[in-house]
Amino acid sequence: MDWSRRSDDAVAQYVASLDEQTAADSRVLIAMMSKVSGHGPQLWNLGTLGFDTYHFKYDSGREGDNHAIAFYPRPGKITIYLMDGTARHAEALAGLGKHRISRVCIYIKRLSDVDLPILEGVLRESYSYVKSQDGHMHRI
């Protein structure tokens, strides 16, 4: 199934299936990422809410489409995906609040643990970078 083509109803049903706190945080992130990207959410991969797409092509020749920014909500753990990688945003992330990171993910327990204007700024910078790369995006 092409998860990037799921309907708005599927997104609403998915968010409604979450516990109260996770659903509330998800609604805030949906509004924020929609504002940043100019696109509404699409349901990808059994629970990832992605916003807009970009085309990638690796040096190996492998290519495809992916979400430009996204998050995966679970009770007590929200994963936010920065497709250009977290290293590019290290300075801003230092002031974000309580979180952990991996190469492309920010992990938070709940939105009240982080500074939302900083998070929005990081998402805006990541989205702009990914969309500017014309299919040849490289992560730091």
Side-chain angles (χ1 to χ4, degrees):
M1 170 170 259
D2 184 356
W3 291 100
S4 67
R5 303 293 179 236
R6 298 292 299 265
S7 71
D8 290 340
D9 288 341
V11 171
Q13 290 172 6
Y14 177 66
V15 172
S17 76
L18 300 170
D19 67 88
E20 187 177 325
Q21 181 62 54
T22 307
D25 285 350
S26 294
R27 287 188 289 275
V28 171
L29 285 172
I30 287 169
M32 183 184 294
M33 291 186 181
S34 294
K35 178 180 166 187
V36 165
S37 70
H39 295 268
Q42 294 179 319
L43 189 60
W44 293 62
N45 305 332
L46 304 174
T48 299
L49 297 172
F51 298 78
D52 201 2
T53 61
Y54 74 98
H55 187 77
F56 64 86
K57 184 172 184 179
Y58 297 135
D59 292 339
S60 67
R62 180 174 177 254
E63 61 183 296
D65 296 299
N66 205 355
H67 43 69
I69 53 175
F71 73 100
Y72 177 32
R74 292 170 302 230
K77 182 178 182 183
I78 298 172
T79 303
I80 298 170
Y81 297 95
L82 302 180
M83 302 316 295
D84 62 332
T86 55
R88 181 179 310 282
H89 309 282
E91 187 175 324
L93 290 173
L96 182 62
K98 191 174 177 180
H99 72 286
R100 293 181 310 107
I101 60 169
S102 67
R103 193 167 69 101
V104 296
C105 298
I106 302 169
Y107 304 100
I108 59 175
K109 289 186 178 183
R110 60 193 148 280
L111 286 183
S112 61
D113 289 340
V114 298
D115 185 315
L116 293 180
I118 290 176
L119 179 59
E120 184 173 338
V122 167
L123 289 168
R124 188 171 306 286
E125 288 180 23
S126 178
Y127 177 78
S128 293
Y129 178 79
V130 167
K131 293 301 284 187
S132 73
Q133 295 305 297
D134 194 31
H136 300 285
M137 199 256 312
H138 297 283
R139 292 185 188 113
I140 293 178

